[in-house]
Amino acid sequence: MANLYVKKFDMINPFVIASSPATQGARNVLRIAKCRPGAIVLRNFGHGAGGGSFIGPDANSMYTGKQAFHSHGIGTRISDPVDTLEKYCEEVRKIKASMDSDIKLWVSVGHYSDIVKGGNWEKDWINQAKELKNAGADAIELHFNTPGVATAKNRSFNYYQLIYNCTKMMKKAVPGMPIMVKLAVEGCDPFTSIRVATEAGADSVGPTARWKAFYFDLDWRGTQARPGGGYGGTQATPIVCHSIVETRNAGIDTPMYAGGGVFSFEQAARIIMSGSECVQIGTLACAGGVSACSKMIKDLEKWMDANGYADMDSLCGDALKLFNMSSDIANERTELLGKAYKEAQVIEDKCIGCERCEEVCWHEGIEMVDGKARKTDLCIGCGYCFQVCPTQALNVDASGILASVFKKHGI
């Protein structure tokens, strides 16, 4: 079986259960720990609980790895019974005493609302970090990802300066304690955030794609998503992957635990293959529970076995070869697929005469004859019609053609 051990984090696998309702208090942490992740982030104390989630188009889409999105829902919210640092530290001790010792426990320090409210929050954060280190936490997480945090900061002061100063502050307060900095993608330049956190000495960075959004039904009175709540989903994964690639291509090798829209092993694999050693699970942990997270871990292991990835080192960053391919290879792939598009003819028996292909052809390269699509000599091989054909009457092995170029060049 593939070895999921992550050397840079000294973790049994690359999955980090993110700070969330699933990690609120010792009871929930010990419950989600049954899925055996590499690390769990204990949620900030005094955060409040409840509220629920809204999954679109439905929860089954999330469970089965299809395209899906998540927003904060409308449900009962209650106060956090763990409302003091003393109680929070006691929760840490309970977890460390009962949880499998090979699962890391990270703890969140502070919250962006502390800064917005003002007061001596720096002193409070330093005190929290020191007490949590003494309680047995394995790492401290600075949580600068709450939806709206970057925008709120830039309206008050410089978000990047906040990241830098707080990271330096934590490194000085608890020397030897790993400082993980969870960063926003919304309302800022993710690369700059990562660079600034790295310069400040962060032991790891976690760019995470969540936004404040306004999702609503057209019959808006019955909308279940919370207006202005946190929003994310599978559509966010490519955005996070680009931030990862940009960082790695700039030569920044700070260990990373990125996240955003990770509802199946496929999204997890994409984030890791972009260059992030670890991956966060948030929504799936809250709305899928132990079984969904366990399945993701097992599915990644099976997929790695089936596709020749022996360990995490061989998987991490592997897709950078695609992003960074030479212009010669990129042109060769384009020319080869374009030629295949141009030469392929309509399979008449499969054509249902829907006219979608003709609708999207902007070069008069296809026409309808007796209710069937037919190529013309004006086809340039752009591929629009192949993408919209519902019956594969227009079909080429696009993936095989594109992959053949890499194989030809030994990549």
Side-chain angles (χ1 to χ4, degrees), residues 42 45 84-93 96 105 107-109 123-140 170 173-174 177:
L42 178 63
F45 71 91
T84 67
L85 177 58
E86 290 75 17
K87 292 179 181 178
Y88 193 54
C89 288
E90 183 57 32
E91 296 294 288
V92 171
R93 285 187 279 269
K96 293 298 290 183
L105 178 65
V107 294
S108 286
V109 165
K123 182 179 179 181
D124 289 340
W125 285 22
I126 289 171
N127 185 47
Q128 287 180 35
K130 290 179 177 179
E131 292 299 321
L132 289 165
K133 180 179 181 181
N134 291 335
D138 296 307
I140 298 292
M170 285 294 106
V174 282
M177 188 71 157

Short mmCIF file of all heavy atoms in Angstrom, two decimals, residues 42 45 84-93 96 105 107-109 123-140 170 173-174 177:
data_model
loop_
_atom_site.label_atom_id
_atom_site.label_comp_id
_atom_site.label_asym_id
_atom_site.label_seq_id
_atom_site.Cartn_x
_atom_site.Cartn_y
_atom_site.Cartn_z
N LEU A 42 -7.88 22.15 16.99
CA LEU A 42 -8.91 22.46 17.98
C LEU A 42 -9.41 23.89 17.76
O LEU A 42 -8.61 24.83 17.68
CB LEU A 42 -8.33 22.32 19.39
CG LEU A 42 -9.26 22.65 20.56
CD1 LEU A 42 -10.44 21.68 20.61
CD2 LEU A 42 -8.48 22.61 21.88
N PHE A 45 -11.60 28.93 21.42
CA PHE A 45 -12.62 28.92 22.46
C PHE A 45 -13.43 30.21 22.40
O PHE A 45 -12.98 31.25 21.91
CB PHE A 45 -11.99 28.72 23.84
CG PHE A 45 -11.21 29.89 24.37
CD1 PHE A 45 -11.82 30.86 25.16
CD2 PHE A 45 -9.85 30.01 24.12
CE1 PHE A 45 -11.10 31.92 25.68
CE2 PHE A 45 -9.12 31.07 24.62
CZ PHE A 45 -9.74 32.02 25.40
N THR A 84 -13.33 30.10 28.59
CA THR A 84 -12.15 30.70 29.21
C THR A 84 -10.90 29.95 28.77
O THR A 84 -10.98 28.79 28.33
CB THR A 84 -12.22 30.65 30.75
OG1 THR A 84 -12.14 29.28 31.18
CG2 THR A 84 -13.51 31.29 31.26
N LEU A 85 -9.76 30.59 28.89
CA LEU A 85 -8.50 29.95 28.53
C LEU A 85 -8.24 28.73 29.41
O LEU A 85 -7.73 27.70 28.93
CB LEU A 85 -7.36 30.95 28.65
CG LEU A 85 -5.95 30.41 28.38
CD1 LEU A 85 -5.85 29.81 26.98
CD2 LEU A 85 -4.91 31.52 28.57
N GLU A 86 -8.61 28.82 30.69
CA GLU A 86 -8.39 27.68 31.59
C GLU A 86 -9.16 26.45 31.12
O GLU A 86 -8.61 25.33 31.09
CB GLU A 86 -8.82 28.06 33.01
CG GLU A 86 -7.93 29.09 33.70
CD GLU A 86 -8.12 30.50 33.18
OE1 GLU A 86 -9.16 30.76 32.52
OE2 GLU A 86 -7.23 31.34 33.40
N LYS A 87 -10.41 26.65 30.74
CA LYS A 87 -11.21 25.53 30.24
C LYS A 87 -10.65 25.00 28.93
O LYS A 87 -10.65 23.79 28.68
CB LYS A 87 -12.66 25.97 30.05
CG LYS A 87 -13.41 26.28 31.34
CD LYS A 87 -14.84 26.73 31.04
CE LYS A 87 -15.61 27.07 32.30
NZ LYS A 87 -16.99 27.55 31.98
N TYR A 88 -10.18 25.91 28.09
CA TYR A 88 -9.63 25.52 26.79
C TYR A 88 -8.38 24.65 26.99
O TYR A 88 -8.22 23.61 26.33
CB TYR A 88 -9.28 26.78 26.00
CG TYR A 88 -8.99 26.57 24.53
CD1 TYR A 88 -9.87 25.92 23.68
CD2 TYR A 88 -7.83 27.10 23.96
CE1 TYR A 88 -9.61 25.77 22.33
CE2 TYR A 88 -7.55 26.96 22.61
CZ TYR A 88 -8.45 26.30 21.80
OH TYR A 88 -8.18 26.15 20.46
N CYS A 89 -7.53 25.04 27.89
CA CYS A 89 -6.32 24.25 28.17
C CYS A 89 -6.68 22.88 28.74
O CYS A 89 -6.01 21.88 28.44
CB CYS A 89 -5.42 25.00 29.15
SG CYS A 89 -4.60 26.43 28.43
N GLU A 90 -7.72 22.84 29.55
CA GLU A 90 -8.17 21.56 30.09
C GLU A 90 -8.67 20.65 28.97
O GLU A 90 -8.45 19.43 28.99
CB GLU A 90 -9.26 21.78 31.13
CG GLU A 90 -9.73 20.49 31.82
CD GLU A 90 -8.61 19.72 32.49
OE1 GLU A 90 -7.64 20.34 32.99
OE2 GLU A 90 -8.70 18.46 32.53
N GLU A 91 -9.33 21.23 27.96
CA GLU A 91 -9.76 20.45 26.79
C GLU A 91 -8.55 19.87 26.06
O GLU A 91 -8.57 18.72 25.62
CB GLU A 91 -10.57 21.33 25.83
CG GLU A 91 -11.88 21.85 26.39
CD GLU A 91 -12.89 20.74 26.65
OE1 GLU A 91 -13.43 20.19 25.68
OE2 GLU A 91 -13.12 20.44 27.84
N VAL A 92 -7.50 20.65 25.96
CA VAL A 92 -6.27 20.17 25.32
C VAL A 92 -5.71 18.98 26.08
O VAL A 92 -5.33 17.96 25.49
CB VAL A 92 -5.21 21.30 25.25
CG1 VAL A 92 -3.86 20.75 24.78
CG2 VAL A 92 -5.68 22.40 24.30
N ARG A 93 -5.68 19.08 27.40
CA ARG A 93 -5.14 17.98 28.21
C ARG A 93 -5.99 16.72 28.08
O ARG A 93 -5.46 15.60 28.01
CB ARG A 93 -5.02 18.42 29.68
CG ARG A 93 -3.86 19.36 29.93
CD ARG A 93 -3.66 19.64 31.42
NE ARG A 93 -4.58 20.66 31.88
CZ ARG A 93 -4.31 21.97 31.90
NH1 ARG A 93 -3.14 22.41 31.49
NH2 ARG A 93 -5.21 22.83 32.34
N LYS A 96 -5.14 15.16 24.63
CA LYS A 96 -3.82 14.53 24.60
C LYS A 96 -3.79 13.24 25.42
O LYS A 96 -3.03 12.32 25.10
CB LYS A 96 -2.77 15.51 25.11
CG LYS A 96 -2.55 16.72 24.21
CD LYS A 96 -2.05 16.34 22.82
CE LYS A 96 -0.62 15.84 22.86
NZ LYS A 96 -0.10 15.54 21.51
N LEU A 105 -2.09 17.41 17.46
CA LEU A 105 -3.11 18.35 17.90
C LEU A 105 -2.59 19.77 17.75
O LEU A 105 -1.66 20.18 18.44
CB LEU A 105 -3.50 18.09 19.36
CG LEU A 105 -4.54 19.07 19.91
CD1 LEU A 105 -5.88 18.92 19.18
CD2 LEU A 105 -4.74 18.88 21.41
N VAL A 107 -3.70 23.85 17.85
CA VAL A 107 -4.73 24.65 18.53
C VAL A 107 -4.76 26.06 17.96
O VAL A 107 -3.72 26.65 17.66
CB VAL A 107 -4.49 24.69 20.05
CG1 VAL A 107 -4.65 23.32 20.67
CG2 VAL A 107 -3.11 25.25 20.38
N SER A 108 -5.97 26.58 17.80
CA SER A 108 -6.14 27.94 17.30
C SER A 108 -5.96 28.95 18.43
O SER A 108 -6.52 28.78 19.51
CB SER A 108 -7.53 28.12 16.69
OG SER A 108 -7.63 27.48 15.44
N VAL A 109 -5.21 29.99 18.14
CA VAL A 109 -5.03 31.09 19.09
C VAL A 109 -5.67 32.34 18.52
O VAL A 109 -5.42 32.71 17.37
CB VAL A 109 -3.54 31.34 19.37
CG1 VAL A 109 -3.34 32.69 20.04
CG2 VAL A 109 -2.97 30.24 20.25
N LYS A 123 -1.43 40.85 23.98
CA LYS A 123 -1.07 40.24 25.26
C LYS A 123 -1.89 38.98 25.50
O LYS A 123 -1.37 37.96 25.98
CB LYS A 123 -1.30 41.25 26.39
CG LYS A 123 -0.91 40.73 27.76
CD LYS A 123 -1.13 41.79 28.84
CE LYS A 123 -0.76 41.26 30.22
NZ LYS A 123 -1.00 42.30 31.27
N ASP A 124 -3.18 39.03 25.16
CA ASP A 124 -4.05 37.86 25.33
C ASP A 124 -3.57 36.70 24.47
O ASP A 124 -3.53 35.55 24.92
CB ASP A 124 -5.49 38.21 24.97
CG ASP A 124 -6.15 39.13 25.98
OD1 ASP A 124 -5.66 39.20 27.12
OD2 ASP A 124 -7.15 39.79 25.62
N TRP A 125 -3.21 36.98 23.21
CA TRP A 125 -2.76 35.91 22.30
C TRP A 125 -1.45 35.28 22.80
O TRP A 125 -1.30 34.06 22.74
CB TRP A 125 -2.58 36.47 20.90
CG TRP A 125 -3.86 36.74 20.17
CD1 TRP A 125 -5.10 36.95 20.72
CD2 TRP A 125 -4.03 36.85 18.76
NE1 TRP A 125 -6.03 37.19 19.74
CE2 TRP A 125 -5.40 37.13 18.52
CE3 TRP A 125 -3.17 36.76 17.68
CZ2 TRP A 125 -5.91 37.30 17.23
CZ3 TRP A 125 -3.68 36.93 16.38
CH2 TRP A 125 -5.03 37.20 16.17
N ILE A 126 -0.55 36.11 23.25
CA ILE A 126 0.72 35.60 23.77
C ILE A 126 0.48 34.70 24.97
O ILE A 126 1.06 33.60 25.08
CB ILE A 126 1.66 36.77 24.14
CG1 ILE A 126 2.16 37.47 22.87
CG2 ILE A 126 2.84 36.28 24.98
CD1 ILE A 126 2.91 38.76 23.13
N ASN A 127 -0.39 35.13 25.87
CA ASN A 127 -0.71 34.33 27.06
C ASN A 127 -1.35 33.01 26.66
O ASN A 127 -1.03 31.95 27.22
CB ASN A 127 -1.63 35.12 27.97
CG ASN A 127 -1.91 34.39 29.27
OD1 ASN A 127 -0.99 33.89 29.92
ND2 ASN A 127 -3.18 34.31 29.65
N GLN A 128 -2.27 33.06 25.69
CA GLN A 128 -2.91 31.83 25.21
C GLN A 128 -1.85 30.85 24.68
O GLN A 128 -1.87 29.66 25.01
CB GLN A 128 -3.91 32.15 24.10
CG GLN A 128 -5.19 32.80 24.57
CD GLN A 128 -6.12 33.08 23.40
OE1 GLN A 128 -6.18 32.33 22.44
NE2 GLN A 128 -6.86 34.19 23.48
N ALA A 129 -0.97 31.35 23.85
CA ALA A 129 0.04 30.49 23.23
C ALA A 129 0.92 29.81 24.29
O ALA A 129 1.20 28.61 24.21
CB ALA A 129 0.89 31.30 22.26
N LYS A 130 1.33 30.57 25.27
CA LYS A 130 2.19 30.01 26.31
C LYS A 130 1.47 28.93 27.11
O LYS A 130 2.02 27.86 27.40
CB LYS A 130 2.67 31.13 27.24
CG LYS A 130 3.68 32.07 26.59
CD LYS A 130 4.11 33.16 27.57
CE LYS A 130 5.17 34.07 26.94
NZ LYS A 130 5.58 35.16 27.86
N GLU A 131 0.21 29.22 27.49
CA GLU A 131 -0.55 28.26 28.29
C GLU A 131 -0.88 27.00 27.48
O GLU A 131 -0.87 25.88 28.01
CB GLU A 131 -1.84 28.91 28.79
CG GLU A 131 -1.62 30.01 29.82
CD GLU A 131 -0.92 29.49 31.06
OE1 GLU A 131 -1.23 28.36 31.51
OE2 GLU A 131 -0.05 30.21 31.59
N LEU A 132 -1.17 27.17 26.20
CA LEU A 132 -1.50 26.02 25.36
C LEU A 132 -0.28 25.15 25.09
O LEU A 132 -0.38 23.93 24.99
CB LEU A 132 -2.12 26.51 24.04
CG LEU A 132 -3.52 27.10 24.20
CD1 LEU A 132 -3.92 27.89 22.96
CD2 LEU A 132 -4.54 26.00 24.47
N LYS A 133 0.87 25.76 24.99
CA LYS A 133 2.10 24.98 24.86
C LYS A 133 2.31 24.14 26.12
O LYS A 133 2.62 22.94 26.03
CB LYS A 133 3.30 25.92 24.64
CG LYS A 133 4.62 25.17 24.51
CD LYS A 133 5.78 26.14 24.27
CE LYS A 133 7.09 25.36 24.13
NZ LYS A 133 8.25 26.28 23.91
N ASN A 134 2.11 24.74 27.28
CA ASN A 134 2.26 24.02 28.54
C ASN A 134 1.22 22.90 28.69
O ASN A 134 1.47 21.89 29.34
CB ASN A 134 2.13 24.98 29.72
CG ASN A 134 3.30 25.94 29.81
OD1 ASN A 134 4.39 25.64 29.33
ND2 ASN A 134 3.08 27.11 30.42
N ALA A 135 0.04 23.10 28.07
CA ALA A 135 -1.02 22.10 28.16
C ALA A 135 -0.76 20.88 27.27
O ALA A 135 -1.43 19.86 27.41
CB ALA A 135 -2.36 22.73 27.78
N GLY A 136 0.21 21.01 26.35
CA GLY A 136 0.59 19.84 25.53
C GLY A 136 0.25 19.93 24.06
O GLY A 136 0.40 18.93 23.34
N ALA A 137 -0.18 21.09 23.58
CA ALA A 137 -0.49 21.22 22.14
C ALA A 137 0.77 20.98 21.32
O ALA A 137 1.88 21.31 21.74
CB ALA A 137 -1.05 22.61 21.85
N ASP A 138 0.58 20.43 20.14
CA ASP A 138 1.72 20.13 19.25
C ASP A 138 2.09 21.31 18.36
O ASP A 138 3.21 21.38 17.86
CB ASP A 138 1.40 18.92 18.37
CG ASP A 138 1.21 17.65 19.18
OD1 ASP A 138 2.13 17.32 19.97
OD2 ASP A 138 0.16 17.00 19.03
N ALA A 139 1.15 22.22 18.11
CA ALA A 139 1.41 23.38 17.27
C ALA A 139 0.35 24.44 17.54
O ALA A 139 -0.74 24.14 18.03
CB ALA A 139 1.41 22.99 15.79
N ILE A 140 0.68 25.68 17.20
CA ILE A 140 -0.24 26.81 17.30
C ILE A 140 -0.66 27.21 15.89
O ILE A 140 0.18 27.34 15.00
CB ILE A 140 0.43 28.02 17.98
CG1 ILE A 140 0.84 27.69 19.42
CG2 ILE A 140 -0.48 29.24 17.93
CD1 ILE A 140 -0.30 27.48 20.37
N MET A 170 4.23 35.46 17.72
CA MET A 170 4.04 34.09 18.21
C MET A 170 5.36 33.34 18.26
O MET A 170 5.63 32.56 19.20
CB MET A 170 3.06 33.35 17.32
CG MET A 170 1.61 33.73 17.49
SD MET A 170 0.93 33.27 19.12
CE MET A 170 0.86 34.87 19.90
N ALA A 173 7.05 34.45 21.33
CA ALA A 173 6.35 34.11 22.57
C ALA A 173 6.56 32.65 22.97
O ALA A 173 6.68 32.34 24.16
CB ALA A 173 4.85 34.40 22.42
N VAL A 174 6.55 31.75 21.97
CA VAL A 174 6.67 30.32 22.27
C VAL A 174 7.76 29.70 21.39
O VAL A 174 7.49 28.97 20.44
CB VAL A 174 5.33 29.58 22.06
CG1 VAL A 174 4.40 29.81 23.23
CG2 VAL A 174 4.65 30.01 20.76
N MET A 177 7.96 26.16 19.34
CA MET A 177 6.60 25.70 19.05
C MET A 177 6.30 25.99 17.59
O MET A 177 6.42 27.13 17.13
CB MET A 177 5.60 26.43 19.94
CG MET A 177 4.18 25.90 19.85
SD MET A 177 4.04 24.27 20.63
CE MET A 177 2.30 24.22 20.98
#
